[in-house]
Amino acid sequence: MENIDPNFSIFRRGQIWKYKKSAKKRVITGWKNLNINSVSALYNHGDINYYKKLLYVRDFMK
């Protein structure tokens, strides 16, 4: 643009630029349902009785 119009410029000489360094933050983007089936699918690593054990523990939590 400066080749076409030498007076055109977004930035002006002598301007003082103020800026702040960006930050990277973690946010929660969603929630998962917390039920016996989802917990069993996420945390079971080879125990065939894991679902039954969760049902047993759930009865004590009520």
Side-chain angles (χ1 to χ4, degrees):
M1 289 299 291
E2 288 183 0
N3 293 339
I4 298 170
D5 185 6
N7 294 327
F8 176 80
S9 179
I10 297 172
F11 308 114
R12 307 251 188 255
R13 289 194 175 131
Q15 274 186 320
I16 298 173
W17 288 88
K18 294 182 181 180
Y19 65 94
K20 189 187 256 188
K21 187 177 178 182
S22 65
K24 203 185 284 189
K25 297 181 180 180
R26 291 183 178 222
V27 296
I28 298 172
T29 58
W31 296 95
K32 292 183 180 182
N33 284 336
L34 186 62
N35 57 32
I36 299 293
N37 291 331
S38 64
V39 171
S40 178
L42 285 172
Y43 298 109
N44 185 12
H45 299 289
D47 186 1
I48 58 174
N49 294 320
Y50 193 76
Y51 181 77
K52 291 179 183 176
K53 291 176 183 178
L54 288 175
L55 290 174
Y56 178 77
V57 171
R58 183 192 65 179
D59 293 338
F60 289 107
M61 294 173 73
K62 287 185 175 183

